[in-house]
Every structure is written in C-alpha cells, then in structure tokens.
Amino acid sequence: MRLSRRRFLMTTGTAAAGLAAPHWRIDAAAYEPGLSSAIKNELADIAVALARQLGASYGDIRINRYRIERISTRERQVQDVSLDQTFGFGVRVLVKGSWGFASSSEVTPDEVRRVTQEAVDIAKANASRQRKPVQFLEVPAVKANWRSAFKEDPFDVPIEQNIATLLKVNEAALAVSGVGFVNSSIAWVNEQKFYASTDGSRIEQYIIRGYPDFTVTAVDRGAGDFQTRDALGGPQGMGYEYLRNHDWVKEAKTAGEEAVMKLKAKRVTPGKYDLVLHPSHLWLTIHESVGHSTELDRALGFEANYAGTSFLTPDKAGKLQFGARHVNFFADRTQPAGLATVAYDDEGVPGQKWYLVRDGVFVDWQTTRDLAPLIGRKNSYGCLHSQSWRDVPFPRMPNVSLEPGKEDVSLDQLVADVENGILIYGNGSFSIDQQRYNFQFGGQTFWEIKQGKITGMLRDVAYQSRTTDFWNSCDGLGGQSTYALGGSFTDGKGEPPQSNAVSHGCPVARFRNVNVLNTDSKQGGGTGAETC
Amino acid sequence: MLTERETRKICDTLLELTKADDAVVDVSERIGGNQRFAANAFNTNGSSRERRFSITVWMDKRRGSASGTEFDDAALRRAAEQAEHIAKLSPVDVEYLPTLGPQKYKPVNGFVDATAQLSAAWRAKQLGGILGQCDKANVVGAGIFQSGAVSRASATRHGNFEFEQSTSASLSMTARTPDGTSSGYGLHNHFDVDRLDIAGVARRAVEKAQAGRDAQRLEPGVYPVILEPQAVGDILGFFGRAFDARNADEGRSPMSAPGGKTLLGRPVFDPKINFYSDPWHPELPGSQAAQDGVPAQKVHLVRGGTVENLAYSRFWAEKSGKEPTPGPVNQIFESTGATHSLTEMIAGAERALLLTRFWYIRMVNPRTQLLTGLTRDGVWLVENGKVKHPVRNFRFNQSVMQMLAPGNVEMIGKPERVGGLYPALKLKAFTFSSESDAV
C-alpha cells in the first residue's frame, strides 16, 4: 500500500477537526495536527510484516513527533521564541541474535520499507561477527493510548502568557539593588509517541514536560567579582499549571537578594562539616551516585567507553551496605509529575515501581528486555528509552527517589542537632567518576550552622565524598512534608550521546562529617580538601 | 544528500512563503551510521537520515522562529505561518540587526564522498578486527565507530546564500583488563575516513590497559604534570567560551578585570601559547560561515600569551563600535615556537604525573575558570626522566587561567586531532584534591 502525501493530509485534517484550537492555530493552516492513528498503524503493519519476512525474530517501529516550545529572555527583552518540531520513525530489529536500527524523517510507506530493510541489513552484517547472541524476553502484547497527568497543555496556552511571566520574573530580580543581570527561559516539550512491535503491541503516548528557569547575576565590578543564583524549581513532568502555581516572581526576588548577598558572604573554611541538604540540592546527588550506579548496562560494561561502568558489580546485589539502615531508594516510572514517568517504555514494558536499595542494602537494578536475562531475570523493569525517533533506544534511568523518614521530621529539627555544619539549597557544579565512587557537588546557596542555628551565608562551598561513605553517613531524614521532586531535563548517556529527562524525589536529609572545600582558587583552589 | 541546487530551491520557497520584513532560513540533511561494541561483542547501532529546516522572521522588528522535518508545501507553509504568528505576539527584538546581504565565502575542504558512503558491512569488518585484537591481548574492549555527512544551506531575505557539505568519521575505544584493575583509551577523528588511524586507536587503548596494572596510591596534592593531547582537549573544552566579549564587558567572565575593564590586550597566558580558529586548517577544517553567516576568517584569541581578540557577536560589535568576530569555528592550540615530543617531556621531568585524559569536567568557579573532574584511563608517575609506575586516579580542582599562566607552561607538543587540535603540555603545577577508586 502506498499512502500519498495528499491522503496523509486529508486524514490528519479530519482528525484535527474534533480538537480544541491551540494557540498556534491562529488560522487553520498554522496547526500541526500530526499523523492519524490509522495511518501510523498502516505504516507499522508494513514494518512489522517486512521485518518478519526478512528473518527478524523481533521488530518494532516507533513513529514519533516531538514539539519543543522555547522562550528565552534577558533583563527587559525577549531573546528568542521558537517552536521546533521533529517527526520521523525508527525501526529496530533482532536478527540472528544481533540488533539493527535505522531511522528516517521521511514518513512514507516506501521509506518505511527501505529503512526496515536497512535495519535488517545492519543486523545481518553484525550477526556474522557477533560472539554473544542477544537474549530477549517475551512480553505480552499491549494495546494502549495514554496521556501523562498534566492539567493544562502548555501548547494550548497563549505564548504571550509565558512571555509575560518571564518578564515579571526578570523585573522582580532587577528590582533588587545590586542585581546586574537576569536570564530566564521556559522550555515546554511534547512527545507524541507511537510504538508497534512484532509482539502485537500498539501503544500511543502523549507526554508533556516543562522547564521554567532563571539565573540572576550580581556583579561587583570594582572587585572583578560576580555571583549567580539559579531558580530552585527545576523541570517537572507537569503542564502549564507548573508555571501558574509556583511563585516564580517571589522566588526571583529572593534569588536577587541572595545573589547580592553571596558577593559579601563569608568564605568557607575547608574541613569536615555536617551537611543538611535540601531536596532542591539532594536530587542531583541521588541522580549521580544512586541513579547511575544502579544501571545494569553500566555494571555489565556496556557503557565502559563513555559513561563508564559501576562499582555495583552484579555480585554485590543483596550484600552491599550501600547506605544507613533507614535509607531506601526506589525506582518508579509511574511517579506523579516524574520526568521519566511513562505508561510503557520503548519496547512495550509497563511502567512500574521497585526498590533499588532497601534498609540500606543494594538490592536491585534498572533493566530492559535484553539486560534482564543476563542476570537470570525473567522480567524487565521497563527502562528502554530513546530521546527521539532518530536514535536507537537503550537503557535509561527511571525516576529514582529516596523515601522520606517514617516520622515527619522537619528541616529545622535536622538543623537543631548540628554543631558545625552547612545547609545547602539548589544544584551547582557536579562531577562524579566513571564508576560512581568519588563525587563533588556545589550548590546555589550555603548557610552556616553553628550550635543548631543558621548563623549566616557562606560562599565558595563544594563537598567531596565517596558514594557508600556518604550514604552511610546519613543519620537523619526529613518526613513526607519535606519531600519534593527535583530533576534533570537533559541527562546524557550513551554513544552517540542521548538525552533523558528524569526526576528524583527526596526529603531534606542530614549527613555527618563530610569533606568540604573552598572553590575560590585565590583561596587555594581546593587544595585544602582532604582525601576522601 | 541534498545538493546546493536542491537546498537553494527549498530556501527560496521558504523565503517566498513569508511576507515578513526580514528572514533567515536554514536547510540541512544529515546522514550517519554508528556501531558500538562492548564486552568484546557488538552492541547497539544505528543508521539515520534526517532533513531539517528552520525559519526565523522579523515583523516590525519582532522575532519568531519555527523548524520542522516535513518538506511538503503545506508543512513549509505552516512553519512560515507559525514563525510569523510568534513574531506578532513577541515584543520588539531590541537586538535585531538586518540579516546579511550577499557575502563572499572561501570554501572549506571538509567533505570526502567515501566517508559519506561507508557501509554497515565495512564498519562490522573493521570492528570485528578490533574485537580479535582484544581477544589476543586479553583485554575487554568497548567503543564506537561513527561516520556521517551533512549538507547545509542558509539564505536571508537580503540576498545572502551559502551552502557547504562536510563529513566526519571517528573511532574511540576503551580497553580494560578482565580483572577491572586497569583501563586504556584511544580516540581519533577525521573528515576523511582513509586518514582515520583505526589501528592506532586500538593499539593505544590496549597498550595503556596492559601498562596500567598494579596502579599505586599517591597522595593528592599539587604535582607537575604531563598532559597528553586528549587530556588537554578535555580540559580546554570550556576554554573557547571564556572569550565572549559581552560577558567580559558585563563583568561576568574570566576575561573581566577589576574596575569594569577586560583582559583584552593583556599578557594573561604563557608567552609560548597561541590559541586560534582557522576555517581552512588542513587537518581540522571548520565552517566557511561564522555567526549569522559572517564569512569565517582565521582569528587568534590568544597570540604569544596575550589576549588578542574577544568574540563579538554582531549585536555587541554594533553596540561597541567593533567588527563582528568572524569565528571561532574550530579550536587550535599550539606553540609559538619549538615543540617537544612526549618522550622529551618525560625525559626532562624530575617528578611529574603523566595523564591520558580527564572525565566529567564541570565548571566550579566561572570567574577563575576553576574546573573539577577526574583522571581516567591511565596515570603514571614519572621520576628522573623515566616512567616509574602507574598511579590510581585522582579528582582535580584546577583553574585553567592559572594552569596556562606565564611560567606554568614548561613545554608544548605538536597538536593532534582529538576533537579540536591540541598538543601535549608539560605543566609546572596542577592541583589534585582527592583520590578516586574508579578504574
């Protein structure tokens, strides 16, 4: 069957007629309606049948559209407003125990045939030299249509509302004496994903994510110094309600005051401190030290050339005391507002929740259909993901979160039991080694704690530790009321590198006796740090 | 691949579709293939073909942009209307400058048809050979071979049009000993696959892994170091961005100076250092077009250790009474005079650490360009002119400004293609802040 472009447009035009007009639809032609389910299914039929005919034991096709709306401003001006779209498909096949993947932006029946043939040719070229045939789990066929749990689709909200909010944010920051600059931005992402496989699955998902952000800069030109304070909110798997409900303008004023305060803040003295870490900071430490270390593909050496391996080798599951006994980490692809929340992953496995660390012991991995059999598992946790139709799907991180304490302990209660410590908000500089042992994190604001009281602001703070030392030094967790979700819009992994959005929830938490260094090179460039 | 004629036709169509006062359109096609290997077996792979366009319009100096991958008339028209719609809703773009009229470009030679046409079977054969070498050497190999080609065109309402094609091929590989106690790394890339040193990449990775066994502990601290070209390329990845003129003038850059001044014209770096961009470099061709289509030129950011240029955007140049900077379009770091081989650097070292590369480098202090990161895939102690033994990895916290300061750079090697063109460096002092267990 050959579908003409005219037929595509006729069909999609009909499909669009029943939808509410988004703001892009200033007139009918300005609306990009997408391809109808019927046509996607017809294209899928072609790919699946041809893959089977050419000898594939498994095959899938993903036909996806990605929309990204970006607005960026500085001070009192808008710098850029853009709507980027990319539409295409990728075909993945398993032939004689080897993978083949090919993709194209030309979504036509003939191109689907060409690309499917190319994917099979790649798999066959590799099969002749493949030493370890891929083992692949069977999963039940699924028919599903799912939308992520946003309340207001940001692509239906007039663009000027977004612009107005950003300019108000900028104005609030600039009203603070001493603030020199402010940059603000919003990125809204919509993924329209269609997946079909030789399993018989047909899954459509409509996903929304948002990332409002700002950076306020205070400059001391006389001293040649400048300090910044970024927004603490971060990206969320939410719609326009995130921009509407969070008080960005109030936070921008606070950020301006804190950026100015940082210029004159007391410089930290390197040494050992107790740390109280706010969720706006701790999510990133979880991401790097827990999220990535529990990826099974890393543990098996599949990422050895770039992202690295993991100190959590397969023999450590169920044995290694990863953290203190009250430390529990769970993975969850169903978490509300999670950036990695989906109904199904990119090979038809349902989103689910499971523990990675329980009672402080490392217990489990992040898996996919071809990873799980390598450790004797009969089910996948659904962690396969691709950043686009263009790229091959591979194991990516689900939302990984730290459970709050059983009692509703507050931030103030955790601070009260610290004699000499630092309270840290927001994520700053971050770095961790290729096996996830040694890490260093900065932050946005640092507050000195003396005898249980916050006594003032510090600057130039970073801490270094070793993953298991750090999590075993955790002696206090905030309760559910302190729990919040942070996350990354662009977590990189793989070759060629791919980006993944992922959330990490956590309560405020306290860590004892952590190594802190001063990051102002005039003060020693970190040489005051001790060995971790 | 899209030809010049085809891209011109699409550009003309897009420009005709908008009634905006001013517009710039871009059209590109990117084809590519890759094959990964890990644990001495083939891993994921991919072959991709993507055509893209973008359109940016200004209506009464209000700006809007849209892009897409669908090229039928209706899709192009929708994108033009979306861009116009955004422009109508946007405030005036106070940094608007009219798009460029016709420009003259000196072509860059960075396209080789054989590189664009590489097949999956050819890739599999090459990587199959590498897996065989890993078996023989008793190491565990992981890596990626990538190749691709890009056709790209840009056109403006005011009559400029430019088109160019480029290719790339690269191989990187990590070899690890089966017990996981040592690893080595190699990387090479080129626009001509026939000049890609496939055997050399595999040899370096394997030799380093084999030589790195039984690494010993060494206290962190300040050490003289010999950085191999890959390590220099890694740590100078942020360096080019430090030269933005606007940030320097606004007082928020390592190129800002007290009193509202900048470091332009000052001897900030070691006098042996040149750092520049050259679109026509035979080993590292850049693009014929710099920012907004300004014809690219050779630009020295640092010459003889002195900051010779900061990078002015068209807007900031207009505001500052300067010319827009015709680059950078690539990064080349080289010695102003004599160069030294790694062997000479080692022979001349009383005590130093020899480093293969760095990993997970992040900015800690943008004012001083203080970076943190870790060593990876091979650290050796050099004593009395000889490589003594491998050393375990470190975390570093080091200011690039201090690292390249006068007096800290003892020797500079010949540049090699490791992303940009970077030489080995022998440095008097480099700060390691803690030890890492990672291999």
PDB file of all heavy atoms in Angstrom, chain B residues 406-432:
ATOM      1  N   PRO B 406      51.615  32.562  32.691  1.00  0.00           N
ATOM      2  CA  PRO B 406      53.049  32.641  32.402  1.00  0.00           C
ATOM      3  C   PRO B 406      53.858  31.903  33.465  1.00  0.00           C
ATOM      4  O   PRO B 406      53.607  32.048  34.657  1.00  0.00           O
ATOM      5  CB  PRO B 406      53.333  34.151  32.454  1.00  0.00           C
ATOM      6  CG  PRO B 406      52.029  34.792  32.138  1.00  0.00           C
ATOM      7  CD  PRO B 406      50.980  33.899  32.730  1.00  0.00           C
ATOM      8  N   GLY B 407      54.783  31.098  33.013  1.00  0.00           N
ATOM      9  CA  GLY B 407      55.644  30.377  33.939  1.00  0.00           C
ATOM     10  C   GLY B 407      55.176  28.988  34.288  1.00  0.00           C
ATOM     11  O   GLY B 407      55.954  28.163  34.778  1.00  0.00           O
ATOM     12  N   ASN B 408      53.874  28.697  34.080  1.00  0.00           N
ATOM     13  CA  ASN B 408      53.392  27.354  34.447  1.00  0.00           C
ATOM     14  C   ASN B 408      53.480  26.367  33.291  1.00  0.00           C
ATOM     15  O   ASN B 408      53.364  25.170  33.494  1.00  0.00           O
ATOM     16  CB  ASN B 408      51.957  27.414  34.972  1.00  0.00           C
ATOM     17  CG  ASN B 408      51.601  26.170  35.789  1.00  0.00           C
ATOM     18  OD1 ASN B 408      52.373  25.770  36.673  1.00  0.00           O
ATOM     19  ND2 ASN B 408      50.474  25.544  35.500  1.00  0.00           N
ATOM     20  N   VAL B 409      53.661  26.889  32.068  1.00  0.00           N
ATOM     21  CA  VAL B 409      53.711  26.006  30.898  1.00  0.00           C
ATOM     22  C   VAL B 409      55.171  25.800  30.525  1.00  0.00           C
ATOM     23  O   VAL B 409      55.832  26.718  30.031  1.00  0.00           O
ATOM     24  CB  VAL B 409      52.921  26.615  29.720  1.00  0.00           C
ATOM     25  CG1 VAL B 409      52.967  25.689  28.504  1.00  0.00           C
ATOM     26  CG2 VAL B 409      51.484  26.891  30.136  1.00  0.00           C
ATOM     27  N   GLU B 410      55.672  24.608  30.750  1.00  0.00           N
ATOM     28  CA  GLU B 410      57.101  24.352  30.502  1.00  0.00           C
ATOM     29  C   GLU B 410      57.365  23.898  29.072  1.00  0.00           C
ATOM     30  O   GLU B 410      58.350  24.296  28.457  1.00  0.00           O
ATOM     31  CB  GLU B 410      57.615  23.315  31.492  1.00  0.00           C
ATOM     32  CG  GLU B 410      57.577  23.825  32.929  1.00  0.00           C
ATOM     33  CD  GLU B 410      58.220  22.863  33.909  1.00  0.00           C
ATOM     34  OE1 GLU B 410      58.182  21.641  33.668  1.00  0.00           O
ATOM     35  OE2 GLU B 410      58.743  23.332  34.928  1.00  0.00           O
ATOM     36  N   MET B 411      56.541  23.021  28.544  1.00  0.00           N
ATOM     37  CA  MET B 411      56.746  22.505  27.180  1.00  0.00           C
ATOM     38  C   MET B 411      55.403  22.314  26.487  1.00  0.00           C
ATOM     39  O   MET B 411      54.403  21.999  27.131  1.00  0.00           O
ATOM     40  CB  MET B 411      57.466  21.154  27.199  1.00  0.00           C
ATOM     41  CG  MET B 411      58.898  21.187  27.654  1.00  0.00           C
ATOM     42  SD  MET B 411      59.585  19.507  27.545  1.00  0.00           S
ATOM     43  CE  MET B 411      61.233  19.779  28.176  1.00  0.00           C
ATOM     44  N   ILE B 412      55.422  22.487  25.163  1.00  0.00           N
ATOM     45  CA  ILE B 412      54.222  22.281  24.346  1.00  0.00           C
ATOM     46  C   ILE B 412      54.572  21.327  23.215  1.00  0.00           C
ATOM     47  O   ILE B 412      55.618  21.466  22.572  1.00  0.00           O
ATOM     48  CB  ILE B 412      53.700  23.624  23.774  1.00  0.00           C
ATOM     49  CG1 ILE B 412      53.351  24.593  24.918  1.00  0.00           C
ATOM     50  CG2 ILE B 412      52.499  23.398  22.865  1.00  0.00           C
ATOM     51  CD1 ILE B 412      52.876  25.959  24.469  1.00  0.00           C
ATOM     52  N   GLY B 413      53.684  20.349  22.953  1.00  0.00           N
ATOM     53  CA  GLY B 413      53.922  19.381  21.883  1.00  0.00           C
ATOM     54  C   GLY B 413      53.309  19.815  20.565  1.00  0.00           C
ATOM     55  O   GLY B 413      52.829  20.946  20.425  1.00  0.00           O
ATOM     56  N   LYS B 414      53.302  18.903  19.606  1.00  0.00           N
ATOM     57  CA  LYS B 414      52.650  19.158  18.312  1.00  0.00           C
ATOM     58  C   LYS B 414      51.162  18.867  18.469  1.00  0.00           C
ATOM     59  O   LYS B 414      50.791  17.843  19.052  1.00  0.00           O
ATOM     60  CB  LYS B 414      53.226  18.236  17.237  1.00  0.00           C
ATOM     61  CG  LYS B 414      54.555  18.699  16.692  1.00  0.00           C
ATOM     62  CD  LYS B 414      54.960  17.837  15.511  1.00  0.00           C
ATOM     63  CE  LYS B 414      56.342  18.268  15.044  1.00  0.00           C
ATOM     64  NZ  LYS B 414      56.955  17.286  14.135  1.00  0.00           N
ATOM     65  N   PRO B 415      50.293  19.720  17.912  1.00  0.00           N
ATOM     66  CA  PRO B 415      48.852  19.468  18.060  1.00  0.00           C
ATOM     67  C   PRO B 415      48.426  18.188  17.347  1.00  0.00           C
ATOM     68  O   PRO B 415      48.948  17.855  16.283  1.00  0.00           O
ATOM     69  CB  PRO B 415      48.206  20.688  17.399  1.00  0.00           C
ATOM     70  CG  PRO B 415      49.271  21.702  17.268  1.00  0.00           C
ATOM     71  CD  PRO B 415      50.570  20.965  17.185  1.00  0.00           C
ATOM     72  N   GLU B 416      47.480  17.489  17.967  1.00  0.00           N
ATOM     73  CA  GLU B 416      46.897  16.293  17.360  1.00  0.00           C
ATOM     74  C   GLU B 416      45.385  16.458  17.336  1.00  0.00           C
ATOM     75  O   GLU B 416      44.814  17.182  18.153  1.00  0.00           O
ATOM     76  CB  GLU B 416      47.258  15.043  18.182  1.00  0.00           C
ATOM     77  CG  GLU B 416      48.739  14.732  18.181  1.00  0.00           C
ATOM     78  CD  GLU B 416      49.071  13.494  19.001  1.00  0.00           C
ATOM     79  OE1 GLU B 416      48.143  12.717  19.309  1.00  0.00           O
ATOM     80  OE2 GLU B 416      50.263  13.329  19.327  1.00  0.00           O
ATOM     81  N   ARG B 417      44.740  15.751  16.410  1.00  0.00           N
ATOM     82  CA  ARG B 417      43.297  15.892  16.269  1.00  0.00           C
ATOM     83  C   ARG B 417      42.579  15.008  17.290  1.00  0.00           C
ATOM     84  O   ARG B 417      42.475  13.796  17.125  1.00  0.00           O
ATOM     85  CB  ARG B 417      42.877  15.533  14.849  1.00  0.00           C
ATOM     86  CG  ARG B 417      41.453  15.915  14.615  1.00  0.00           C
ATOM     87  CD  ARG B 417      41.020  15.879  13.194  1.00  0.00           C
ATOM     88  NE  ARG B 417      39.577  15.867  13.233  1.00  0.00           N
ATOM     89  CZ  ARG B 417      38.768  16.309  12.303  1.00  0.00           C
ATOM     90  NH1 ARG B 417      39.263  16.799  11.195  1.00  0.00           N
ATOM     91  NH2 ARG B 417      37.469  16.266  12.448  1.00  0.00           N
ATOM     92  N   VAL B 418      42.134  15.606  18.373  1.00  0.00           N
ATOM     93  CA  VAL B 418      41.367  14.909  19.421  1.00  0.00           C
ATOM     94  C   VAL B 418      40.120  15.752  19.700  1.00  0.00           C
ATOM     95  O   VAL B 418      39.953  16.298  20.779  1.00  0.00           O
ATOM     96  CB  VAL B 418      42.200  14.716  20.708  1.00  0.00           C
ATOM     97  CG1 VAL B 418      43.211  13.610  20.538  1.00  0.00           C
ATOM     98  CG2 VAL B 418      42.913  16.005  21.114  1.00  0.00           C
ATOM     99  N   GLY B 419      39.214  15.819  18.743  1.00  0.00           N
ATOM    100  CA  GLY B 419      38.128  16.786  18.790  1.00  0.00           C
ATOM    101  C   GLY B 419      38.629  18.047  18.119  1.00  0.00           C
ATOM    102  O   GLY B 419      38.566  18.186  16.908  1.00  0.00           O
ATOM    103  N   GLY B 420      39.176  18.990  18.892  1.00  0.00           N
ATOM    104  CA  GLY B 420      39.942  20.090  18.311  1.00  0.00           C
ATOM    105  C   GLY B 420      41.374  19.633  18.078  1.00  0.00           C
ATOM    106  O   GLY B 420      41.690  18.445  18.175  1.00  0.00           O
ATOM    107  N   LEU B 421      42.250  20.596  17.785  1.00  0.00           N
ATOM    108  CA  LEU B 421      43.675  20.270  17.628  1.00  0.00           C
ATOM    109  C   LEU B 421      44.399  20.741  18.878  1.00  0.00           C
ATOM    110  O   LEU B 421      44.500  21.952  19.128  1.00  0.00           O
ATOM    111  CB  LEU B 421      44.250  20.988  16.402  1.00  0.00           C
ATOM    112  CG  LEU B 421      44.113  20.281  15.057  1.00  0.00           C
ATOM    113  CD1 LEU B 421      44.593  21.187  13.931  1.00  0.00           C
ATOM    114  CD2 LEU B 421      44.885  18.968  15.022  1.00  0.00           C
ATOM    115  N   TYR B 422      44.892  19.783  19.647  1.00  0.00           N
ATOM    116  CA  TYR B 422      45.522  20.111  20.923  1.00  0.00           C
ATOM    117  C   TYR B 422      46.855  19.378  21.051  1.00  0.00           C
ATOM    118  O   TYR B 422      46.964  18.216  20.652  1.00  0.00           O
ATOM    119  CB  TYR B 422      44.625  19.719  22.099  1.00  0.00           C
ATOM    120  CG  TYR B 422      43.329  20.487  22.144  1.00  0.00           C
ATOM    121  CD1 TYR B 422      42.160  19.913  21.663  1.00  0.00           C
ATOM    122  CD2 TYR B 422      43.285  21.783  22.630  1.00  0.00           C
ATOM    123  CE1 TYR B 422      40.963  20.613  21.687  1.00  0.00           C
ATOM    124  CE2 TYR B 422      42.091  22.490  22.665  1.00  0.00           C
ATOM    125  CZ  TYR B 422      40.936  21.906  22.188  1.00  0.00           C
ATOM    126  OH  TYR B 422      39.769  22.605  22.208  1.00  0.00           O
ATOM    127  N   PRO B 423      47.835  20.023  21.668  1.00  0.00           N
ATOM    128  CA  PRO B 423      49.135  19.389  21.880  1.00  0.00           C
ATOM    129  C   PRO B 423      49.244  18.794  23.281  1.00  0.00           C
ATOM    130  O   PRO B 423      48.418  19.078  24.148  1.00  0.00           O
ATOM    131  CB  PRO B 423      50.082  20.579  21.775  1.00  0.00           C
ATOM    132  CG  PRO B 423      49.298  21.696  22.405  1.00  0.00           C
ATOM    133  CD  PRO B 423      47.855  21.449  22.088  1.00  0.00           C
ATOM    134  N   ALA B 424      50.271  18.006  23.495  1.00  0.00           N
ATOM    135  CA  ALA B 424      50.622  17.629  24.865  1.00  0.00           C
ATOM    136  C   ALA B 424      51.186  18.864  25.560  1.00  0.00           C
ATOM    137  O   ALA B 424      51.771  19.743  24.920  1.00  0.00           O
ATOM    138  CB  ALA B 424      51.658  16.514  24.855  1.00  0.00           C
ATOM    139  N   LEU B 425      51.010  18.943  26.879  1.00  0.00           N
ATOM    140  CA  LEU B 425      51.544  20.066  27.665  1.00  0.00           C
ATOM    141  C   LEU B 425      52.310  19.531  28.867  1.00  0.00           C
ATOM    142  O   LEU B 425      51.858  18.581  29.514  1.00  0.00           O
ATOM    143  CB  LEU B 425      50.415  20.960  28.187  1.00  0.00           C
ATOM    144  CG  LEU B 425      49.613  21.786  27.183  1.00  0.00           C
ATOM    145  CD1 LEU B 425      48.528  22.565  27.918  1.00  0.00           C
ATOM    146  CD2 LEU B 425      50.519  22.741  26.407  1.00  0.00           C
ATOM    147  N   LYS B 426      53.438  20.151  29.156  1.00  0.00           N
ATOM    148  CA  LYS B 426      54.142  19.880  30.410  1.00  0.00           C
ATOM    149  C   LYS B 426      53.952  21.103  31.292  1.00  0.00           C
ATOM    150  O   LYS B 426      54.335  22.216  30.911  1.00  0.00           O
ATOM    151  CB  LYS B 426      55.622  19.625  30.150  1.00  0.00           C
ATOM    152  CG  LYS B 426      56.417  19.228  31.383  1.00  0.00           C
ATOM    153  CD  LYS B 426      57.785  18.654  30.998  1.00  0.00           C
ATOM    154  CE  LYS B 426      58.542  18.173  32.222  1.00  0.00           C
ATOM    155  NZ  LYS B 426      59.079  19.296  33.022  1.00  0.00           N
ATOM    156  N   LEU B 427      53.322  20.889  32.447  1.00  0.00           N
ATOM    157  CA  LEU B 427      52.951  21.994  33.335  1.00  0.00           C
ATOM    158  C   LEU B 427      53.672  21.870  34.671  1.00  0.00           C
ATOM    159  O   LEU B 427      53.840  20.766  35.196  1.00  0.00           O
ATOM    160  CB  LEU B 427      51.434  21.989  33.584  1.00  0.00           C
ATOM    161  CG  LEU B 427      50.543  22.021  32.334  1.00  0.00           C
ATOM    162  CD1 LEU B 427      49.079  21.841  32.715  1.00  0.00           C
ATOM    163  CD2 LEU B 427      50.729  23.339  31.575  1.00  0.00           C
ATOM    164  N   LYS B 428      54.009  23.019  35.217  1.00  0.00           N
ATOM    165  CA  LYS B 428      54.767  23.038  36.467  1.00  0.00           C
ATOM    166  C   LYS B 428      53.906  22.618  37.663  1.00  0.00           C
ATOM    167  O   LYS B 428      54.395  21.946  38.574  1.00  0.00           O
ATOM    168  CB  LYS B 428      55.324  24.449  36.699  1.00  0.00           C
ATOM    169  CG  LYS B 428      56.423  24.516  37.707  1.00  0.00           C
ATOM    170  CD  LYS B 428      57.006  25.926  37.794  1.00  0.00           C
ATOM    171  CE  LYS B 428      57.985  26.188  36.655  1.00  0.00           C
ATOM    172  NZ  LYS B 428      58.601  27.513  36.727  1.00  0.00           N
ATOM    173  N   ALA B 429      52.626  22.999  37.659  1.00  0.00           N
ATOM    174  CA  ALA B 429      51.777  22.708  38.823  1.00  0.00           C
ATOM    175  C   ALA B 429      50.343  22.445  38.394  1.00  0.00           C
ATOM    176  O   ALA B 429      49.793  23.153  37.541  1.00  0.00           O
ATOM    177  CB  ALA B 429      51.816  23.880  39.806  1.00  0.00           C
ATOM    178  N   PHE B 430      49.757  21.438  39.015  1.00  0.00           N
ATOM    179  CA  PHE B 430      48.366  21.052  38.735  1.00  0.00           C
ATOM    180  C   PHE B 430      47.818  20.462  40.029  1.00  0.00           C
ATOM    181  O   PHE B 430      48.486  19.662  40.684  1.00  0.00           O
ATOM    182  CB  PHE B 430      48.343  20.010  37.611  1.00  0.00           C
ATOM    183  CG  PHE B 430      46.982  19.767  37.016  1.00  0.00           C
ATOM    184  CD1 PHE B 430      46.580  20.448  35.871  1.00  0.00           C
ATOM    185  CD2 PHE B 430      46.112  18.844  37.580  1.00  0.00           C
ATOM    186  CE1 PHE B 430      45.335  20.223  35.307  1.00  0.00           C
ATOM    187  CE2 PHE B 430      44.857  18.615  37.027  1.00  0.00           C
ATOM    188  CZ  PHE B 430      44.474  19.307  35.879  1.00  0.00           C
ATOM    189  N   THR B 431      46.562  20.843  40.389  1.00  0.00           N
ATOM    190  CA  THR B 431      46.061  20.529  41.728  1.00  0.00           C
ATOM    191  C   THR B 431      45.109  19.337  41.747  1.00  0.00           C
ATOM    192  O   THR B 431      44.025  19.384  41.163  1.00  0.00           O
ATOM    193  CB  THR B 431      45.319  21.751  42.315  1.00  0.00           C
ATOM    194  OG1 THR B 431      46.205  22.866  42.276  1.00  0.00           O
ATOM    195  CG2 THR B 431      44.895  21.490  43.748  1.00  0.00           C
ATOM    196  N   PHE B 432      45.512  18.278  42.421  1.00  0.00           N
ATOM    197  CA  PHE B 432      44.651  17.111  42.640  1.00  0.00           C
ATOM    198  C   PHE B 432      44.132  17.175  44.071  1.00  0.00           C
ATOM    199  O   PHE B 432      44.920  17.261  45.016  1.00  0.00           O
ATOM    200  CB  PHE B 432      45.438  15.818  42.416  1.00  0.00           C
ATOM    201  CG  PHE B 432      45.975  15.692  41.020  1.00  0.00           C
ATOM    202  CD1 PHE B 432      47.302  16.003  40.737  1.00  0.00           C
ATOM    203  CD2 PHE B 432      45.143  15.291  39.980  1.00  0.00           C
ATOM    204  CE1 PHE B 432      47.789  15.910  39.443  1.00  0.00           C
ATOM    205  CE2 PHE B 432      45.627  15.197  38.687  1.00  0.00           C
ATOM    206  CZ  PHE B 432      46.954  15.505  38.415  1.00  0.00           C
TER     207      PHE B 432
END
